[in-house]
């Protein structure tokens, strides 16, 4: 009797979505936090001028990065609080499958809050955004989420075995996310203005893809050493 | 047991002494050369002389983080404590060097532009990110379960080193975001008389790095031997 | 079935196992007893693949660690103090998850049978959080046996079980052990003697005493235990 990896992966993702559907803790907290952070940013920096188009991308992505810290912090929490960690670890699941499941779930959670945060950010800060620009931002989200979810999943798995994990995660994750935030903000800025600057946008997307690829490679190479003792 | 041979050797091993002397000589030479012998920069005057230390220590810190990454990979493969010791010590020295890079860079910025900090100085900003990245290394090690500290440290050393080029590049594109001017690297064509002292300074910092790592490795080893001895003592009583 | 050789382990420098050897032939039920801190749970965690041994080798059904860990995991059923199920999921969801992770075939029918066997069929779609400790542990028993493990590793599984649950677990151990091997860590000397074929006492990280269960009477076992604890 040997389990297929696809079946294990589906089971692990479904489990996290079922848990989220029952408790609604993580996505709700991430979305509310992002909303609050956006309002704070507006009063901190946006209010200086009437047109905040120039800082919209920055505010949106700084907000998403902070919300991501929250989401990453919740990873593995059910396993710890409900004491299932050993039950999951003794199952014959390749550790890479566990990592990929975490990445997929984080990716979905990020997408869920972006559906709310990006349009709101546009309404709040951008005067005349084109539908075309919004569609491009959606594409950018897909890549950027991967570049956030992969380091998030890797670092969260290390913090499971650490004290004060809620302190450790922001300190670990945010420095690694700075390049992602810079590029995602730049890309968003390039297409949310009065005109769509396609070449610039693609350049940022390419850099985000490189970030995601580098993080994937590191995670792939090191993950075996993280979960098993 | 190896315990007794470890603890009854009080003098510093010869390689540490040799490295220490070599670093002292090179650093002395670098100070004399950079401050006294090298020609003064026509545009920037005396403040430009900090370049010899600023750039050298910046490069040396990258080398240190690189060694930390390699030590991490070797540790994950072999699991020997020696490579963990080398990894931690390298990251420690790399972090100190990064701080020195920022301090010297800040002094240079004050001399050249009259301000301590400029967000459009790519090197300053990049190294700020790198300090944040590597400070997290010690936070992670400090909070990880004792039996996992070495492994997590190794994983993070690899992770952080992979993130370094991303940070550098992202700071550059953030600059073009603010000022659409292409970044030109300073000192790309420096005269030979400057290059010599720059190389001496770089060699000095690299040698000092090797010395500090060797001392730290020795110290960690001694610490462990001491703990073993303590435990044995407790056991007897 | 289980072959442990020269097993050594330390936590933060403190030695817990010191060159432990243990052989468990297929189909045998072994009770591992010993004072707190003797290394019982560490031994079980290592055999359950939760910990990597620092010294020595472990082999389960011919699969040697660490290379054969995944093969071994598929054959092991593990139950600790905690039921190891998600409290925010229902029993059906939990068993579906673990069935998928272990690649169990004909899962729907098996889940039904397993829930019926532990008397939780009526509560199959209530979140486990609403269960009593004993009920949750019964679900843990169902989870442990879902994939027909050839080796049951039980780490003080009676902790938190009510009388019904204990009887149920006794039954599971007695029934499966006709074709499955059982290694059980316990403080319950009486249960160790009556339920198992063999009693192994661990003290200071080594096997201190190893006898067929039929040969021990309770006072002798208790005396040995006392002696070791002192």
């Amino acid at each position: 009797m040997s389990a297929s990896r696809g079946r294990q992966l589906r089971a692990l993702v479904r489990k996290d979505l079922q848990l989220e559907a029952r408790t609604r803790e993580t996505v709700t907290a991430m979305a509310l936090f992002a909303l609050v952070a956006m309002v704070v940013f507006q009063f901190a920096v946006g209010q200086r001028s009437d047109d905040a188009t120039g800082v919209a991308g920055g505010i949106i992505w700084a907000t998403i990065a902070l919300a991501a810290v929250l989401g990453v912090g919740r990873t593995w929490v059910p396993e710890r609080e409900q004491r299932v960690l050993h039950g999951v670890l003794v199952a014959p699941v390749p550790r890479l499958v566990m990592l990929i499941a975490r990445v997929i779930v984080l990716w979905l959670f990020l997408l869920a809050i972006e559906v709310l945060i990006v349009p709101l950010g546009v309404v709040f800060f951008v005067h005349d955004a084109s539908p075309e620009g919004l569609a491009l931002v959606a594409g950018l989200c897909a890549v950027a989420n991967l570049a956030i979810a992969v380091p998030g999943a890797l670092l969260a798995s290390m913090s499971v075995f650490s004290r004060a994990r809620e302190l450790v995660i922001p300190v670990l994750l945010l420095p690694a996310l700075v390049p992602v935030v810079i590029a995602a903000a730049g890309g968003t800025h390039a297409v949310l203005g009065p005109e769509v600057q396609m070449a610039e946008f693609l350049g940022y997307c390419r850099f985000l893809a490189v970030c995601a690829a580098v993080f994937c490679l590191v995670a792939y190479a090191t993950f075996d050493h993280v979960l098993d003792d | 047991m190896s315990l007794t041979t470890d603890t009854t050797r009080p003098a510093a091993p010869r390689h540490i002494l040799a490295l220490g002397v070599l670093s002292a000589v090179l650093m002395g030479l670098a100070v004399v050369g950079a401050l006294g012998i090298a020609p003064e920069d026509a545009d920037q005057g005396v403040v430009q002389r900090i370049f010899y230390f600023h750039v050298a220590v910046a490069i040396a810190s990258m080398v240190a983080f690189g060694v930390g990454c390699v030590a991490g990979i070797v540790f994950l493969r072999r699991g020997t404590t020696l490579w963990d010791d080398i990894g931690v010590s390298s990251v420690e020295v790399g972090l100190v060097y990064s701080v020195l890079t920022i301090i010297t860079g800040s002094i240079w910025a004050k001399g050249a532009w009259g301000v301590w900090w400029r967000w459009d100085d790519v090197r300053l900003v990049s190294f700020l990110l790198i300090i944040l990245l590597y400070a997290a290394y010690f936070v992670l090690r400090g909070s990880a379960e004792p039996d996992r500290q070495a492994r997590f440290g190794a994983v993070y050393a690899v992770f952080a080193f992979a993130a370094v080029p991303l940070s550098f590049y992202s700071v550059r594109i953030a600059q073009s975001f603010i000022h659409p001017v292409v970044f030109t690297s300073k000192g790309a064509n420096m005269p030979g008389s400057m290059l010599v002292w720059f190389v001496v300074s770089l060699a000095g910092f690299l040698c000092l790095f090797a010395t500090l790592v060797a001392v730290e490795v020795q110290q960690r080893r001694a610490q462990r031997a001491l703990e073993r001895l303590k435990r044995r003592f407790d056991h007897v009583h | 079935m289980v072959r442990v050789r020269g097993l050594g382990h330390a936590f933060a420098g403190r030695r817990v196992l010191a060159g432990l050897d243990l052989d468990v032939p297929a189909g045998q039920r072994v009770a591992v007893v010993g004072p707190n801190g003797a290394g019982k749970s560490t031994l079980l965690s290592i055999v359950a693949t939760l910990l990597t041994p620092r010294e020595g080798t472990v082999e389960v059904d011919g699969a040697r660690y660490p290379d054969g860990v995944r093969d071994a995991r598929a054959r092991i059923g593990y139950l600790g103090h905690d039921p190891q199920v998600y409290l925010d999921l229902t029993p059906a969801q939990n068993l579906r998850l673990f069935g998928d992770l272990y690649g169990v075939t004909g899962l729907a029918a098996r889940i039904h049978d397993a829930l019926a066997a532990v008397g939780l069929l009526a509560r199959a779609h209530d979140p486990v959080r609403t269960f009593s400790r004993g009920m949750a542990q019964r679900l843990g028993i169902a989870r442990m046996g879902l994939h027909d493990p050839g080796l049951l590793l039980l780490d003080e599984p009676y902790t938190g079980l009510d009388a019904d649950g204990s009887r149920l677990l006794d039954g599971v151990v007695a029934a499966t052990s006709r074709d499955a091997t059982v290694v059980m860590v316990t403080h319950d000397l009486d249960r160790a003697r009556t339920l198992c074929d063999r009693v192994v006492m661990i003290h200071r990280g080594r096997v201190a005493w190893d006898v067929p269960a039929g040969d021990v009477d309770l006072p002798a076992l208790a005396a040995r235990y006392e002696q070791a604890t002192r």
Side-chain angles (χ1 to χ4, degrees), chain C residues 156-193:
Chain C
E156 296 180 28
Y158 292 94
T159 316
L161 269 186
D162 46 21
D164 284 349
S166 297
R167 259 196 305 282
L168 184 72
L169 186 57
D170 287 349
V172 168
V173 172
T176 52
S177 58
R178 268 192 297 275
D179 39 85
T181 315
V182 179
V183 178
M184 175 165 75
V185 166
T186 183
H187 280 299
D188 188 339
L189 299 183
D190 190 32
R191 194 164 256 131
R193 194 175 57 95

Side-chain angles (χ1 to χ4, degrees), chain B:
Chain B
M1 225 172 131
S2 60
L3 196 81
T4 41
T5 50
D6 264 6
T7 46
T8 52
R9 201 195 301 145
R14 220 170 273 153
H15 70 278
I16 293 184
L17 252 138
L19 274 173
V21 170
L22 187 61
S23 345
V25 169
L26 282 170
M27 293 304 279
L29 265 178
V31 170
V32 172
L35 300 185
I37 304 172
E40 188 147 320
D41 188 86
D43 297 335
Q44 299 189 38
V46 69
V47 73
Q48 186 272 340
R49 288 181 188 279
I50 204 164
F51 151 88
Y52 297 100
F53 304 105
H54 173 64
V55 178
V57 81
I59 292 174
S61 83
M62 285 301 117
V63 171
F65 291 139
V67 172
C69 171
V70 171
I73 293 169
V74 178
F75 175 79
L76 290 178
R77 295 206 152 195
R78 298 205 193 140
T80 40
T81 332
L82 171 70
W83 287 101
D84 178 45
D85 289 344
I86 293 176
V88 191
S89 324
S90 299
V91 173
E92 263 174 23
V93 177
L95 195 58
V96 172
Y97 276 13
S98 301
V99 172
L100 284 178
T101 305
I102 292 242
I103 292 173
T104 50
S106 188
I107 294 172
W108 195 355
K110 181 71 180 166
W113 300 299
V115 287
W116 292 108
W117 189 267
R118 288 183 61 151
W119 284 104
D120 58 357
D121 185 319
V122 175
R123 210 175 293 124
L124 276 183
V125 178
S126 301
F127 270 84
L128 181 62
L129 288 189
I130 281 156
I131 287 173
L132 292 176
L133 199 60
Y134 275 95
Y137 173 91
F138 295 98
V139 175
L140 177 65
R141 271 192 90 103
S143 75
E145 290 173 2
D147 291 316
R148 293 177 192 261
Q149 281 173 2
R151 252 173 325 128
F152 285 7
V155 168
Y156 191 81
V158 176
F159 174 80
F161 196 63
V164 164
L166 300 180
S167 301
F168 267 108
Y169 191 76
S170 70
V171 170
R172 278 199 186 197
I173 59 175
Q175 295 317 313
S176 69
F177 191 40
I178 305 168
H179 311 278
V181 191
V182 183
F183 169 73
T184 51
S185 59
K186 296 168 191 137
N189 42 3
M190 66 178 113
S193 56
M194 285 182 162
L195 188 65
V196 169
W197 296 114
F198 169 71
V199 169
V200 169
S201 172
L202 178 60
F205 277 112
L206 288 177
C207 241
L208 184 62
F209 158 65
T211 314
L212 291 173
V213 168
V215 170
E216 177 77 12
V217 167
Q218 193 73 12
Q219 195 266 335
R220 291 176 67 90
R221 207 182 275 170
Q223 182 73 35
R224 270 195 305 273
L226 182 67
E227 269 160 24
R228 270 203 304 274
L229 209 60
K230 262 190 200 156
R231 262 199 306 277
R232 214 188 254 187
F233 188 75
D234 287 344
H235 201 71
V236 169
H237 286 260

Side-chain angles (χ1 to χ4, degrees), chain C residues 101-115:
Chain C
L101 295 186
Y102 282 94
V104 175
T105 45
L107 189 56
R110 295 216 44 140
I111 291 175
H112 183 274
D113 294 348
L115 286 176

Side-chain angles (χ1 to χ4, degrees), chain A residues 1-5 7-16 18-20 22-23 25 76 78-79 81-95 97-98 102 227-229, chain C residues 9 11 45 48-54 70 73-74 76 78 82-90 93-94 96-105 107 125-127 129 143 146-148:
Chain A
M1 197 157 46
S2 112
S4 89
R5 290 167 188 220
R7 187 176 169 192
Q8 294 176 327
L9 185 64
R10 274 198 305 279
L12 287 171
V13 172
R14 187 181 57 228
K15 175 260 299 175
D16 275 335
Q18 281 171 343
L19 285 172
E20 184 57 29
R22 168 115 30 212
T23 60
E25 278 169 354
W76 291 107
E79 279 76 12
E81 284 181 352
Q82 303 173 30
R83 305 181 146 277
V84 204
L85 195 55
H86 287 173
V88 174
L89 290 181
V90 294
V93 185
R95 276 27 182 163
V97 172
M98 292 189 183
R102 292 289 172 210
L227 272 186
D228 274 315
D229 183 50
Chain C
H9 201 85
F11 289 113
S45 297
T49 76
L50 285 170
L51 283 175
T52 308
R54 300 286 186 266
R70 236 190 113 199
R73 277 180 183 144
I76 292 173
Y78 174 82
D82 299 304
Q84 305 286 343
V85 290
Y86 288 91
L87 303 184
D88 287 323
L89 297 182
T90 66
Q93 286 172 333
N94 267 300
R96 168 119 194 257
L97 166 68
F98 285 101
D100 282 341
L101 295 186
Y102 282 94
V104 175
T105 45
L107 189 56
H125 299 290
D126 295 343
R129 206 175 268 290
R143 175 194 60 76
L146 193 65
H147 57 288
D148 268 335

